[in-house]
Amino acid sequence: MTTTTSSTGNHEQDHRTNLLQTITTIITTRPNQLHILQPFLPHLTLPLLLSLLSSKPLLHHSHPSSLLSFFKLLQSHSSSSNLLLSSPQPLLSLLPSLLRHRKFSDAKSLLSDFISHDHPRHSLHHLLIHPNRSLPFPSRSLLDTSISAYVHAHHPDLAFQIFNKMKRLRFKPNLLTCNTLLNSLVRSSSSHLIHLSNQVFKDSIKLGVNPNTNTFNILIYGCCVDNKFDEAFRLMNQMSDFGCSPDNVTYNTILDALCKKSQLSKVRDLLHEMKDNGLVPNRNTYNILVHGYCRLNWLKEAAEVIELMTRNNMLPDMWTYNIMVRGLCDNGKIDGAFRLKHEMENLKLVPDVVTYNTLIDGCFEWRGSAEAFKLVEEMKGKGVKPNAATHNIMVKWLCKEGKIDEASDMIVKMVEGGVSPDCFTYNTMINGYCKAGKLREAFRMMDEMARKGFRTDTFTLNTILHTLCTEKKLDEAHELAVNARKRGYILDEVTYGTLMMGYFKDEKADKALKLWDEMKERGIVPSVVTYNSIIRGLCLSKKTDQAIDKLNELLEKGLVPDEATYNIIIHGYCWEGAVEKAFQFHNKTVEKSFKPDIFTCNILLRGLCKEGMLEKALKLFDTWISKGKPVDVVTYNTLISGLCKEGRLEDAFDLMNEMEGKNLEPDKYTYNAIISTLTNANRTEEAEKLMSKLVQTGQDVKTHDTSQGPGSGDMTYSEQISNLCTKGKYKEAMKVYQEAEQKGVDLNKYTHMKLMEGLLKRRKSISKTA
């Protein structure tokens, strides 16, 4: 029995030896006929394959391309393919030969392919970090190539760990590898990984790597993403220590980041420095400036940059025009945007999907959906195929108009047209459901998003936070933000801004200011928008002097305040009843290039009327009109309301006729002010006529209230007035209404109707009694 077993073992050993010899012979002598190995492949086991790949004839074979071809043959065969994916050992046995013959590209390709199938086990990564005795110790070139492969597979964290392995072994990485790793770290969405890029840079220097300009450009980009501008400038100054000089990419990277943060004073300084260093601004530089100016609504300056480009024999490209079209659309200058489109066509620049998407978005906002959908059809007729962004714009506006079902149908059409919904689509729908108060539907959408493989991002988080803050569920909102950070979400300035405004509106200024300090401690550099949020919050809390401190801080940081910043502070002073301070601030800022707009005028008029300074308000109105500046319904409503409060009905009627002459349609506020005054003056018949006119118009118009007072939109007042009217307590209802007016609360049209009808009934009963 023993003899038989021994004989069988020997026979199997001979069979394995013959199989290995046959395969080895064919690989080394007949590399172009490897297909004849197909019948032998099913007989290979993992031990046999490892023996084959590590055998001396193959290891020392002078043509590794035949070995590579054999490996690819194994990958194409089902049984041997599973064998290769079951363990990283066959690959690690093959790679030394490829790397020795400088087949780096092939080695990286094989590594990348294995890594894509190795998730989430990461068995290859484990063996590279903790090699065992059965495999060759990983060489410098293997670790170097592995870093590139893991970066390519979108695993910068694992690539960083391999870099640390090289550091421990004192292996000097390739400069290209270092730059590849640095680039993946700074472009990740994780603030932690961005911070690791500095460590990689310092360690690379210690290992003897000589950085180049590209290395510094990558690091500077990371600093700009992380809002660390001082660090970016420090790195730029450090370049000369390593024999490098800043190039256009260096300057453009910092210029772009500064423009996005509205730090235009620093932009000008950097442009001068760029020219002093002998660098000529290129098309990207000009495009960055155009974009920066358009973001600040400085369209005249943006147009001057384009003229400067042309004078320097640098014709604007599609990107330049698209930025300018966006700037014009954002400012409601749709005619100008279409003129620019025609100019593009005259220059033989065919408007692309970005041009059309921008114009469609602009039409939705300023001209209505009919014009927008007409442009979609024109776009298709010109052979420009709508993309995901086109559909997302339509979904966004349908949601904004409260047409959630139509938006949902649009997504169905989107899929039928071969366009897949993306994160923006889902986030828009989540936002739509949140605004409609349908949180259950919003969470259902989040679940669907997860099922489709989309990770809910910071935008989704901010959308839910906004809804919770609107519903005054501030504890839940804060807890959600804290838990999100623990789960790896990056809380941005929008997150903090949303929570801060929630606390300010809930009259918890201390908690809001605590969040402001926390945001700055975490290295988040506030933009003008975020500064405007905290300035608005402080003004709502009647802390306008503290808001001025924040304005000064904004200016010290080199940021450029916009019209909204100044208007918020002017409104803050008026809200506190300090109209004189509001005018002093207004006059001082006008001297410093602030251009008052229609909102400024309306805020000041409201402030004057609120404090009983009607004559000053009328004088301001006349001065504004004499300068040819625009007015709107709010302007007239403010003055009409002021005149009515003083019983000057004839003057109020004159103003109402004047506004109609300017094609400004009186709304519920106009009628309400006059009807209330008529009823109080016992002019019941006139009040009834106006009342019927109001009902005929339907008054399905948007409210034109400029108040930014706390509690805006609160249903409590509407319900209270309605209940009092039902009980016949019209006098009490009127008091509640006046309180709501003073606080800037937006009452719905049904409340106005009920109150007016009640006042008319009360006036009639008083007349009969008399």
Side-chain angles (χ1 to χ4, degrees), residues 217-350:
N217 286 345
I218 293 166
L219 289 166
I220 287 167
Y221 173 84
C223 291
C224 290
V225 168
D226 217 21
N227 295 313
K228 293 184 175 176
F229 298 116
D230 290 341
E231 181 68 13
F233 283 114
R234 189 191 66 76
L235 280 167
M236 190 164 73
N237 293 331
Q238 193 184 349
M239 290 174 81
S240 58
D241 297 343
F242 295 90
C244 306
S245 300
D247 58 8
N248 280 78
V249 174
T250 320
Y251 282 102
N252 287 348
T253 301
I254 302 178
L255 284 169
D256 186 43
L258 290 172
C259 281
K260 284 175 180 173
K261 286 291 177 182
S262 307
Q263 298 193 18
L264 290 194
S265 57
K266 289 185 180 178
V267 166
R268 292 189 199 99
D269 293 341
L270 198 60
L271 275 171
H272 286 306
E273 184 186 318
M274 184 180 182
K275 289 175 182 175
D276 290 343
N277 286 339
L279 289 171
V280 179
N282 58 17
R283 184 177 276 107
N284 279 346
T285 317
Y286 287 117
N287 283 343
I288 287 164
L289 293 173
V290 171
H291 191 214
Y293 284 129
C294 285
R295 278 171 64 91
L296 285 172
N297 299 327
W298 293 8
L299 299 181
K300 184 183 174 186
E301 287 79 0
E304 285 171 0
V305 172
I306 292 175
E307 284 177 21
L308 185 62
M309 282 178 80
T310 311
R311 283 204 302 271
N312 289 336
N313 298 318
M314 199 177 293
L315 286 175
D317 58 8
M318 185 70 75
W319 205 76
T320 321
Y321 275 107
N322 283 342
I323 293 167
M324 198 66 194
V325 168
R326 165 57 67 195
L328 290 163
C329 286
D330 285 346
N331 282 272
K333 299 184 176 180
I334 304 297
D335 290 339
F338 274 98
R339 279 197 297 273
L340 210 56
K341 172 179 170 277
H342 296 317
E343 187 181 311
M344 289 168 69
E345 290 167 334
N346 291 336
L347 290 170
K348 306 301 179 189
L349 274 173
V350 181

Side-chain angles (χ1 to χ4, degrees), residues 557-606:
K557 290 186 178 294
L559 296 172
V560 180
D562 55 18
E563 280 75 12
T565 320
Y566 293 120
N567 283 338
I568 291 163
I569 291 174
I570 292 168
H571 186 275
Y573 278 128
C574 290
W575 181 249
E576 289 182 22
V579 182
E580 291 300 327
K581 277 190 175 182
F583 272 95
Q584 285 169 13
F585 178 80
H586 167 270
N587 296 338
K588 195 183 291 183
T589 51
V590 166
E591 289 170 11
K592 294 180 180 178
S593 77
F594 167 54
K595 297 170 185 174
D597 56 16
I598 192 168
F599 298 106
T600 322
C601 176
N602 290 340
I603 291 164
L604 289 169
L605 285 175
R606 186 183 179 89

Side-chain angles (χ1 to χ4, degrees), residues 359-374:
L359 289 167
I360 290 164
D361 196 29
C363 282
F364 267 117
E365 184 165 7
W366 302 100
R367 287 189 175 176
S369 53
E371 285 280 329
F373 284 118
K374 185 180 174 184

Side-chain angles (χ1 to χ4, degrees), residues 74-129:
L74 290 170
Q75 287 178 318
S76 66
H77 196 275
S78 58
S79 61
S80 54
S81 172
N82 292 332
L83 201 64
L84 293 178
L85 294 175
S86 66
S87 166
Q89 289 182 311
L91 176 61
L92 291 173
S93 298
L94 167 75
L95 288 174
S97 177
L98 293 179
L99 294 169
R100 194 166 52 249
H101 289 87
R102 306 187 67 78
K103 296 273 186 180
F104 300 116
S105 178
D106 292 317
K108 180 184 170 182
S109 178
L110 290 174
L111 280 164
S112 298
D113 186 57
F114 185 87
I115 291 166
S116 65
H117 293 91
D118 197 28
H119 183 76
R121 292 179 305 156
H122 300 308
S123 55
L124 170 64
H125 185 265
H126 181 78
L127 275 176
L128 289 169
I129 302 293

